[in-house]
């Protein structure tokens, strides 16, 4: 979502660019990080690791694009397939993508550029194509409403075991995890109900492949939660890289990595070790854990930035600017 970042993107890009760690070379399996090279993808707002094609990641633009999703090769950063969704209306503010059981892709047209005033939003579902080529696939469109009224959201996840869909709304002071019905229906609206608080300004989320962990990221950090049947419990901070406009996150197919994406032309997707290294334990490969789980709020700063004092000052300045712009 561009609001309110378009107003200060140039300044933020210069500041972050001075401190950001370069994207590492892609690993042999395509899960080591990459740069999205397709000039059509200027506002990558969601990311999902393919279930059928190892090392391939699905993404999409924010608004003002069309009913398209793109398959990007994690080794080269090049688009290897463009899928056009048919059977849906004109997308409004597409913010998230997730893959559930049965290799079904869910696309979340759930953003709200009007600050949470649209009476309903949409989810589109389509099968992940078995062959990577440019093609048109018919999708199913679902109407979504929230039990407690309209809101802005950028995070949609599908539980890999149950297939149930969840949304995390986007609020500066923290939002909530919303649970959808056991099965989405094309008959009437699907009501999503709040079931747990999420203590950060969420821009995306992802389930671990085994469904035991929920990763939620923000602009400057993230939180790992134990899923615990939906009664989420904070497990630690995520090692989120400082990016120009951090918009997306996904687990690699094996659960060993978390990949973080950003908006902008030639945007980087950076890989970090997932909590537990993919075993769902919540510990780092060293066995010491990712970070302390104590304290309110959630935006722990990335360990990839070497000069801690400079990063704190930078983050504070950007947050201050964000809040001023948001209130204009």
């Amino acid at each position: 979502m561009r609001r309110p970042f378009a107003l200060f993107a140039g300044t933020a890009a210069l500041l972050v660019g001075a401190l950001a760690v370069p994207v590492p070379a892609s690993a042999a399996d395509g899960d080591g990080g990459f740069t999205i090279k397709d000039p059509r993808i200027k506002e990558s707002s969601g990311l999902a690791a393919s279930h059928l094609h190892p090392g391939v990641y699905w993404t999409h633009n924010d608004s003002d694009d069309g009913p398209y999703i793109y398959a990007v090769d994690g080794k080269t950063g090049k688009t290897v397939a463009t899928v056009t969704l048919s059977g849906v209306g004109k997308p409004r503010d597409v913010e998230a993508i997730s893959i559930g059981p049965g290799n079904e892709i869910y696309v979340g047209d759930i953003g709200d550029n009007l600050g949470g005033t649209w009476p309903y939003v949409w989810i589109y579902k389509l099968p992940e194509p078995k062959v990577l080529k440019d093609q048109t696939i018919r999708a199913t469109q679902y109407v979504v409403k929230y039990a407690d009224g309209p809101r802005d959201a950028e995070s949609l996840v599908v539980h890999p075991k149950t297939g149930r869909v969840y949304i995390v709304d986007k609020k500066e002071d923290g939002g909530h995890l919303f649970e959808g019905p056991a099965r989405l229906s094309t008959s009437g609206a699907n009501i999503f109900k709040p079931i747990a608080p999420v203590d950060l300004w969420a821009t995306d989320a992802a389930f671990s492949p085994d469904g035991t962990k929920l990763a939620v990221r923000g602009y400057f950090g993230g939180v790992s939660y134990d899923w615990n049947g939906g009664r989420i419990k904070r497990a630690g901070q995520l090692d989120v890289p400082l990016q120009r406009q951090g918009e997306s996150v996904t687990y690699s197919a094996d659960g060993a990595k978390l990949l973080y994406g950003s908006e902008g032309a030639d945007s980087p997707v950076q890989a970090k070790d997932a909590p537990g290294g993919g075993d769902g334990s919540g510990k780092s490969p060293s066995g010491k854990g990712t970070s302390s789980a104590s304290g309110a709020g959630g935006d722990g700063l990335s360990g990839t930035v070497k000069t801690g004092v400079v990063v704190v000052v930078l983050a504070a300045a950007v947050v201050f600017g964000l809040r001023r712009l948001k209130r204009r």
Side-chain angles (χ1 to χ4, degrees), residues 62-210:
D62 187 339
S63 53
D64 302 325
D65 185 13
Y68 312 119
I69 58 174
Y70 306 90
V72 179
D73 187 339
K75 297 178 183 177
T76 65
K78 295 181 179 180
T79 298
V80 293
T82 301
V83 172
T84 302
L85 280 62
S86 68
V88 303
K90 182 180 180 180
R92 190 163 52 188
D93 192 354
V94 180
E95 292 288 353
I97 188 167
S98 182
I99 303 180
N103 306 320
E104 297 282 352
I105 298 176
Y106 293 73
V107 180
D109 191 355
I110 57 174
D112 190 339
N113 282 316
L114 300 179
T117 59
W118 286 325
Y120 56 85
V121 291
W122 300 299
I123 294 172
Y124 314 125
K125 185 181 75 171
L126 67 154
E128 182 174 14
K130 295 180 180 179
V131 178
L132 290 177
K133 64 178 182 179
D134 293 351
Q135 58 193 292
T136 298
I137 298 178
R138 187 168 186 83
T140 302
Q141 181 169 335
Y142 302 100
V143 175
V144 169
K145 291 186 176 182
Y146 299 97
D148 54 356
R151 59 200 54 252
D152 186 20
E154 297 189 10
S155 310
L156 175 146
V157 291
V158 184
H159 195 275
K161 304 299 182 183
T162 68
R164 199 159 195 159
V165 183
Y166 298 83
I167 293 173
V168 181
D169 66 340
K170 182 184 180 185
K171 290 187 175 181
E172 184 177 353
D173 297 325
H176 283 82
L177 176 71
F178 285 78
E179 182 180 69
R183 292 290 181 267
L184 297 179
S185 173
T186 56
S187 177
N190 295 272
I191 307 301
F192 278 63
K193 301 176 182 179
I195 60 171
V198 173
D199 51 354
L200 80 163
W201 197 8
T203 60
D204 202 11
F207 273 118
S208 60
D210 63 5

Side-chain angles (χ1 to χ4, degrees), residues 17-90:
L19 292 174
V21 175
V23 178
S26 296
D29 59 4
D31 295 333
F34 54 94
T35 296
I36 297 175
K37 297 180 179 179
D38 191 329
R40 297 173 297 172
I41 306 174
K42 298 179 180 179
E43 292 185 310
S44 175
S45 294
L47 201 63
S50 170
H51 283 190
L52 297 179
H53 309 285
V56 168
Y57 291 85
W58 291 97
T59 189
H60 54 82
N61 280 310
D62 187 339
S63 53
D64 302 325
D65 185 13
Y68 312 119
I69 58 174
Y70 306 90
V72 179
D73 187 339
K75 297 178 183 177
T76 65
K78 295 181 179 180
T79 298
V80 293
T82 301
V83 172
T84 302
L85 280 62
S86 68
V88 303
K90 182 180 180 180

Side-chain angles (χ1 to χ4, degrees), residues 230-311:
R231 299 182 298 276
I232 57 174
K233 181 179 180 181
R234 183 175 172 134
Q237 292 178 344
L238 297 174
D239 187 19
V240 178
L242 191 61
Q243 296 175 312
R244 178 184 302 175
Q245 186 174 327
E247 289 282 343
S248 60
V249 65
T250 185
Y251 275 86
S252 59
D254 62 3
K257 299 287 185 179
L258 278 166
L259 289 94
Y260 300 92
S262 175
E263 284 194 3
D266 298 315
S267 58
V269 175
Q270 296 171 255
K272 295 286 185 178
D273 289 336
D279 65 4
S281 68
K283 297 180 179 179
S284 66
S286 66
K288 296 180 180 179
T290 55
S291 180
S292 170
S294 63
D299 284 352
L301 291 172
S302 169
T304 61
V305 181
K306 304 303 182 181
T307 310
V309 174
V310 175
V311 170

